[in-house]
Amino acid sequence: MTSYDFDRFVDRHGTWCTQWDYVEDRFGVPGLLPFTISDMDFETAPEVLTALRGRLEHGVLGYSRWRHSDFLSAVVDWFGKRYATVVDPESIAYAPSVLYQAGVLIDLWSKPGDGVVVHTPAYDAFPRLIEAHGRQLRGCGLDDWAEFERLLALPDTSVLLLCSPHNPTGRVWTEDELTRMAGLCARHGVAVISDEIHADLAHREFTTWAGFGAGRWAVVTSASKSFNIPALTGSYGIIGDPESHGAYLRRLKDADGLSSPAVLSLVGHIAAYREGEGWLDALRAYVAGNLEMVAERLEAAGLNWQPPQAGYLAWIDLRPLGIKTDEPLQRELIEGEKVAIMPGGAYGAPGFVRLNVGCPRAKAEAGTDALVRAVSRL
């Protein structure tokens, strides 16, 4: 069995890294130890790196295609193996990013001014995306089913933008919950876009919308989150409605001129899905250990916190400790501890923090201890 060293520190300074080199942009102070944007500090799977090096050694980086069996079968086989779900290769569509595809589908399935339902607290890119496309965000609590159906029933609600697993909370929707959502959306004629970019990092059984979607629906996802390759760009979608699939491809190719994919993204996806499963499972186990460490240290500080059901983002409710707003805690973290941790207000939930522990254990411990000290001073 191959062994992977997730404890090894990789210095990301000077690589134009959003999390490390540009922490001052969001937090106003340079040089902070960051636990922020949701990428990881680990090298990607060595199997992926080997494939990328091989492609670069070929030396020619001309125009490429994504509609070929190497890419499509890698996606189909991944969904069959990981999620016991049969995917029609004709329903797959390449995209430069998950958010790009979600935006195009919102345009296709709604008109300006229509409502888009989103569970809250919400991934901070969702409100900006919806506003930029001239639609109205309609937020609903994760377990408020009455409000959820009320929003779907509004005559100008057109789309449910589902984050599954949920960011920032790490919630993994059960099959029963997803079936209930699907029934309500069908009843009210609401299209579904399921952002499943965190699915490969679920710590419990995950059900993909591709397994039972009907009508106008799409899964938008990528290997970028789970294999830490977002800088390669590239994602893909599974669009259930053939007419919408064709309309999306016309937008991609003819309107936006994006028919030639990032070839290294294709290489990375294929290698990840064909050869990277062992690395991914080892990563998930390591991240689960980081999250258990966070839980233990928070418990020692008087906070009963449970690790998320997916991902490496610790969504921590500090309100039981008297933390109701973001500003005092952020001052302590930035000025007193020299760390950058995302405030809950960025997702519409002051009194929470989102701590990224997709990193070597020693760094995760440093961030957790800094958070505990800052909270204790308040």
Side-chain angles (χ1 to χ4, degrees):
M1 181 177 178
T2 304
S3 177
Y4 303 101
D5 184 8
F6 296 108
D7 286 319
R8 187 171 71 87
F9 175 75
V10 179
D11 187 358
R12 301 178 69 188
H13 288 106
T15 62
W16 312 307
C17 170
T18 298
Q19 184 167 188
W20 288 81
D21 289 332
Y22 299 101
V23 68
E24 184 178 4
D25 290 355
R26 184 185 288 266
F27 292 87
V29 177
L32 301 177
L33 184 63
F35 301 86
T36 55
I37 191 171
S38 58
D39 70 357
M40 297 182 286
D41 288 329
F42 308 121
E43 283 188 351
T44 189
E47 297 83 358
V48 173
L49 293 174
T50 297
L52 294 172
R53 291 187 187 103
R55 184 64 182 82
L56 288 172
E57 287 171 3
H58 177 267
V60 180
L61 299 172
Y63 289 118
S64 187
R65 299 281 182 96
W66 59 268
R67 297 187 86 171
H68 50 74
S69 61
D70 288 341
F71 177 61
L72 298 178
S73 65
V75 173
V76 169
D77 292 349
W78 187 255
F79 271 74
K81 178 169 50 178
R82 300 293 288 194
Y83 306 117
T85 299
V86 176
V87 171
D88 178 0
E90 291 300 313
S91 69
I92 297 171
Y94 174 82
S97 73
V98 163
L99 286 174
Y100 168 84
Q101 190 166 29
V104 171
L105 292 168
I106 286 172
D107 280 349
L108 292 176
W109 289 341
S110 65
K111 60 183 184 298
D114 280 1
V116 177
V117 175
V118 173
H119 288 98
T120 55
Y123 168 42
D124 55 332
F126 278 5
R128 297 196 299 269
L129 177 74
I130 292 166
E131 180 184 1
H133 284 269
R135 275 61 172 176
Q136 299 180 51
L137 184 146
R138 292 181 174 158
C140 173
L142 273 64
D143 294 300
D144 192 342
W145 287 95
E147 178 66 1
F148 181 68
E149 182 165 14
R150 186 190 73 80
L151 293 175
L152 293 179
L154 294 174
D156 60 349
T157 292
S158 298
V159 175
L160 166 65
L161 181 53
L162 179 66
C163 199
S164 178
H166 186 261
N167 179 9
T169 69
R171 168 80 165 268
V172 173
W173 308 102
T174 67
E175 185 173 355
D176 287 345
E177 289 171 328
L178 294 172
T179 300
R180 185 176 179 183
M181 288 184 202
L184 291 171
C185 289
R187 181 186 308 167
H188 298 291
V190 173
V192 179
I193 303 168
S194 183
D195 174 354
E196 299 183 4
I197 199 169
H198 291 272
D200 294 337
L201 296 170
H203 304 301
R204 53 175 285 182
E205 184 177 359
F206 175 80
T207 300
T208 172
W209 197 274
F212 57 86
R216 292 179 304 166
W217 65 270
V219 167
V220 293
T221 190
S222 174
S224 64
K225 197 70 65 177
S226 45
F227 287 90
N228 205 35
I229 52 173
L232 296 182
T233 72
S235 67
Y236 62 93
I238 302 166
I239 304 175
D241 171 38
E243 183 178 347
S244 298
H245 185 272
Y248 168 80
L249 292 184
R250 286 191 296 275
R251 169 73 178 268
L252 179 80
K253 179 178 181 179
D254 299 330
D256 295 338
L258 295 170
S259 58
S260 182
V263 68
L264 293 183
S265 174
L266 298 185
V267 171
H269 273 79
I270 293 166
Y273 287 171
R274 292 293 189 205
E275 305 172 55
E277 190 170 25
W279 180 90
L280 177 64
D281 289 340
L283 168 78
R284 289 169 55 248
Y286 187 90
V287 166
N290 277 356
L291 293 167
E292 288 295 338
M293 176 276 299
V294 175
E296 291 170 3
R297 298 196 180 196
L298 290 179
E299 183 178 13
L303 186 64
N304 180 20
W305 177 80
Q306 298 299 315
Q309 297 169 341
Y312 49 81
L313 303 172
W315 179 247
I316 304 170
D317 184 358
L318 298 172
R319 295 173 301 174
L321 299 180
I323 308 296
K324 306 296 184 183
T325 60
D326 291 337
E327 291 78 9
L329 177 59
Q330 285 297 307
R331 281 197 301 272
E332 290 291 339
L333 292 170
I334 294 168
E335 297 173 10
E337 298 295 337
K338 310 301 180 186
V339 300
I341 300 173
M342 293 298 291
Y347 314 96
F352 289 75
V353 291
R354 196 191 76 170
L355 174 71
N356 179 348
V357 293
C359 57
R361 185 73 42 81
K363 182 192 173 196
E365 290 172 341
T368 305
D369 290 344
L371 175 62
V372 169
R373 288 193 297 269
V375 169
S376 70
R377 289 198 295 273
L378 293 174

